[in-house]
Amino acid sequence: MLTKLTHWSRLKSPWILHLNTGACNACDIEVVAALTPRFDVERFGILLKATPRHADVIVCTGPATRQMKDRLIRIYEQTPDPKFVIAVGACAMSGCVYRGAYNVLGGIDQVIPVDVYVPGCPVRPDAVIDGVVKLLNKLKG
Amino acid sequence: MKFQIPIGPQHPALKEPISLRMTVEGEIIRDADLRLGYNHRGLEKLAEQKTWIQNIYLTERICGICSHSHTTCYVQGVEKLMEIEPPKRGQYIRYLVSELERVHSHLLWLGVAGHEAGFDSFFMYTWRDREIVMDILETISGNRVHYGINTIGGVRRDLDEQQVKHILDSLAILRERSEYYQHLGTNEPSFVARLAGVGYLSREDAIALCAVGPTVRASGVPMDVRKDDPYGIYGEVPFEVCTADTCDVLGRTVVRIKELFQCYNIIEYLLKNLPSGPVAVRAPRRAKPNEVVSRYEAPRGENIHYIKSNGTDKPERLKVRAPTLGNYAATIKMLKNGFIADVPLIFAAIDPCICCAERAVALVDARSGQERIISMNALKKLSRQVSAGNARKREAEWPL
Ligand code: SF4
């Protein structure tokens, strides 16, 4: 009963933490744009949170620079279970144009496990919403 | 009694994740120190391994808000190296996108400033209208943020009649909305009271510390590369350099709102006088050994690219000085003797970038060595509490 309830509430209000790990900012502003009136993700119960301790879903942008690696791991560990990671943008998926640069690890999945990949450079806000919805469907199933 | 406060490396008001160490005495900031390198990707080195054309798309991804600024700056330099001149129509379209980008960046910044000052409906309003500009950019270039419209020797896409009409129609809406914001700002005493007098930077300091863009213009220095050293078509376009002399965050807001209107005028001028002809010329694959410095007025200030060629199809060196870097020294000056609660606002005022939402400030108690972590939201609440105590000016003066 209780697990059913938590499962239900988890589906209804995924709180996200937005983390920039060396992105060029374009993906970041598109994630923020998804919160503003035109796209308005709050109608799905998606809320942007400021601290990892409140979040269910980490939305990562950027190719994971060397200096951000430890921080990324720390933030992942601070997020309470069950946690999910969405890699937003070509950078977070594979490194994008920065692939091969000396300070870039190339993709978030080199550092932490990723559940959903959202392609695009930058992603459209609708794609971010779609990614979160896909994740929710995955949880339902 | 002095405290040390590290902020960052993740902070929403800064372009790159950056770490800031502040020494405070009570509420007053006595000293500030910047640490860089969290967002370092090794882009300049990477540029040396890519061809001239590939580098356009690399420089575009230096920054997502002024992506067109970086490509234009780079492309201008490469065109000089290759000794080619893009056709007039190509130039008009290139700088049309520049001005549209400035509009989107300034609207974005206004929203961020509203958000940091605790005026969230302003944030939602401006970001709603920013979507109009994004739509225009999408119809011109096919993408919302990285337009990929520049190429060496011109632009990659042409405009047709319908697009011109669409832009002019949307411009009318934007103009109307911006007037509304101007009005809203003038008649919103708490907003004006929150911004006035925060982050003071005197005219002398602004010049001595090499501040750029709206930051220096808000200190009464009419410095704008578009006027001082006109590149491209700016020599023939009529526009004014907007300044303010309040030297604070309010002034920076005013400068940006005024610039919005100038941008609308420039865009209208460019569209009405759009010459006919081709949009690009063929560029050679190699550039002769030479070096060049290219300047460009990005939404945040002067952007400089230094490019060195060695006769191959790749640059030997590409050096980028983004406007934010020019403003760091001035930021430290602005932070000194300010309040902790004003930190988000002062940061936001030099560089509008709301890229990340998780933010933490650790307060280190110098006596006990204890660390206290407070979130940026708590800090903002604190900032509102501080400003709530301020006397409200009934008829707030807005130097517009
Ligand atoms: S995927 Fe593209 S737009 Fe997104 S952060 Fe990377 S380079 Fe920037």
Side-chain angles (χ1 to χ4, degrees):
Chain A
M1 177 67 201
L2 197 64
T3 47
K4 245 187 179 169
L5 184 69
T6 45
H7 189 67
W8 175 80
S9 45
R10 196 162 284 143
L11 288 177
K12 292 298 172 203
S13 63
W15 284 3
I16 59 173
L17 167 83
H18 171 212
L19 177 66
N20 175 342
T21 54
C24 79
N25 250 321
C27 280
D28 308 283
I29 54 170
E30 293 294 70
V31 169
V32 177
L35 298 168
T36 53
R38 160 94 50 107
F39 301 99
D40 192 20
V41 288
E42 275 194 30
R43 65 204 150 114
F44 300 118
I46 301 172
L47 214 56
L48 195 66
K49 283 290 156 195
T51 141
R53 294 176 209 279
H54 294 171
D56 304 304
V57 182
I58 308 179
V59 174
C60 263
T61 58
T65 57
R66 267 174 218 286
Q67 201 159 347
M68 281 303 289
K69 185 183 167 201
D70 295 339
R71 179 161 290 267
L72 183 57
I73 294 170
R74 202 157 87 213
I75 284 174
Y76 184 73
E77 278 166 359
Q78 281 174 355
T79 314
D81 275 328
K83 52 196 163 195
F84 307 96
V85 179
I86 303 184
V88 165
C91 273
M93 292 171 70
S94 64
C96 196
V97 286
Y98 312 118
R99 201 179 175 90
Y102 58 82
N103 210 28
V104 164
L105 298 167
I108 298 297
D109 51 9
Q110 305 291 317
V111 186
I112 54 174
V114 174
D115 296 275
V116 175
Y117 295 89
V118 184
C121 182
V123 296
R124 293 181 57 91
D126 358 18
V128 177
I129 301 173
D130 188 48
V132 177
V133 171
K134 286 236 167 75
L135 179 74
L136 294 183
N137 283 339
K138 203 168 139 189
L139 291 187
K140 247 188 233 158
Chain B
M1 186 183 68
K2 284 191 176 154
F3 294 88
Q4 274 238 323
I5 305 185
I7 288 192
Q10 291 264 293
H11 189 279
L14 289 165
K15 173 122 289 81
E16 298 103 337
I18 183 181
S19 180
L20 192 97
R21 220 156 267 272
M22 294 188 307
T23 312
V24 297
E25 221 177 84
E27 265 286 289
I28 316 276
I29 301 161
R30 287 293 175 221
D31 200 7
D33 182 21
L34 285 172
R35 274 142 215 242
L36 308 164
Y38 292 92
N39 208 348
H40 179 81
R41 294 161 298 206
L43 209 130
E44 289 176 2
K45 192 76 196 156
L46 206 60
E48 292 162 19
Q49 300 156 13
K50 294 189 191 281
T51 61
W52 294 111
I53 291 279
Q54 284 175 329
N55 272 332
I56 299 174
Y57 306 99
L58 184 66
T59 47
E60 188 154 56
R61 280 154 184 83
I62 291 174
C63 163
I65 304 177
C66 25
S67 54
H68 190 70
S69 313
H70 284 288
T71 54
T72 310
C73 197
Y74 168 76
V75 160
Q76 277 174 8
V78 177
E79 278 162 2
K80 243 186 259 171
L81 283 178
M82 293 181 172
E83 290 157 355
I84 50 175
E85 169 96 7
K88 263 271 146 25
R89 190 179 173 88
Q91 290 202 16
Y92 267 61
I93 296 175
R94 180 182 290 174
Y95 295 107
L96 172 77
V97 176
S98 293
E99 293 307 318
L100 285 168
E101 184 185 67
R102 201 181 309 274
V103 172
H104 115 68
S105 174
H106 282 354
L107 281 176
L108 180 144
W109 182 84
L110 277 178
V112 175
H115 176 69
E116 301 291 356
F119 192 4
D120 259 340
S121 33
F122 196 59
F123 168 63
M124 291 295 175
Y125 273 156
T126 52
W127 277 64
R128 179 193 65 192
D129 296 336
R130 185 175 155 270
E131 291 296 330
I132 300 176
V133 194
M134 304 308 273
D135 282 348
I136 299 178
L137 286 167
E138 196 173 359
T139 52
I140 296 178
S141 70
N143 203 357
R144 279 165 58 90
V145 176
H146 288 318
Y147 323 114
I149 194 150
N150 274 329
T151 187
I152 295 167
V155 292
R156 290 173 56 216
R157 283 166 187 251
D158 203 353
L159 281 179
D160 61 23
E161 279 306 311
Q162 226 174 344
Q163 282 170 326
V164 171
K165 191 172 169 302
H166 168 69
I167 300 173
L168 285 174
D169 289 348
S170 314
L171 216 59
I173 305 174
L174 279 173
R175 215 186 266 272
E176 191 188 313
R177 295 272 165 79
S178 308
E179 264 157 29
Y180 172 64
Y181 299 143
Q182 192 176 339
H183 174 79
L184 200 77
T186 348
N187 294 300
E188 182 55 55
S190 48
F191 190 49
V192 176
R194 180 72 189 91
L195 302 185
V198 173
Y200 185 79
L201 182 73
S202 70
R203 190 193 155 95
E204 292 71 36
D205 285 339
I207 295 171
L209 296 170
C210 305
V212 291
T215 312
V216 71
R217 289 200 283 277
S219 292
V221 188
M223 199 162 83
D224 190 323
V225 186
R226 290 177 295 171
K227 259 293 190 261
D228 303 341
D229 182 13
Y231 51 87
I233 44 114
Y234 283 107
E236 53 194 78
V237 180
F239 73 99
E240 282 166 33
V241 178
C242 309
T243 55
D245 43 20
T246 49
C247 309
D248 54 6
V249 179
L250 181 62
R252 282 158 221 153
T253 315
V254 173
V255 165
R256 283 181 175 112
I257 292 186
K258 280 192 198 162
E259 265 176 21
L260 275 180
F261 289 104
Q262 292 298 328
C263 287
Y264 300 150
N265 292 344
I266 299 176
I267 293 170
E268 222 165 60
Y269 177 91
L270 292 179
L271 286 175
K272 296 227 162 108
N273 298 289
L274 199 62
S276 52
V279 292
V281 292
R282 246 188 101 75
R285 281 193 37 163
R286 296 165 204 284
K288 281 189 225 122
N290 205 345
E291 55 182 358
V292 71
V293 170
S294 172
R295 302 169 76 192
Y296 178 94
E297 183 72 24
R300 297 175 180 74
E302 185 179 354
N303 187 7
I304 301 172
H305 281 212
Y306 165 82
I307 310 161
K308 189 172 177 198
S309 58
N310 55 4
T312 63
D313 59 352
K314 295 180 178 121
E316 188 178 310
R317 177 87 173 94
L318 171 70
K319 168 90 190 90
V320 179
R321 208 246 21 205
T324 313
L325 200 67
N327 275 333
Y328 279 152
T331 316
I332 293 183
K333 180 80 195 169
M334 287 187 257
L335 286 173
K336 266 183 203 169
N337 298 330
F339 292 111
I340 303 177
D342 291 337
V343 172
L345 207 54
I346 296 174
F347 274 170
I350 66 149
D351 194 23
C353 171
I354 177 151
C355 55
C356 25
E358 102 294 345
R359 21 195 151 156
V361 176
L363 297 174
V364 182
D365 190 327
R367 281 170 309 171
S368 60
Q370 253 178 10
E371 258 190 48
R372 207 150 48 95
I373 308 278
I374 63 171
S375 78
M376 216 53 182
N377 277 356
L379 197 66
K380 263 184 221 145
K381 218 179 269 162
L382 190 75
S383 108
R384 272 162 225 164
Q385 275 165 11
V386 169
S387 63
N390 285 358
R392 291 274 179 279
K393 291 183 208 135
R394 277 280 143 248
E395 299 297 331
E397 274 174 11
W398 178 268
L400 260 174

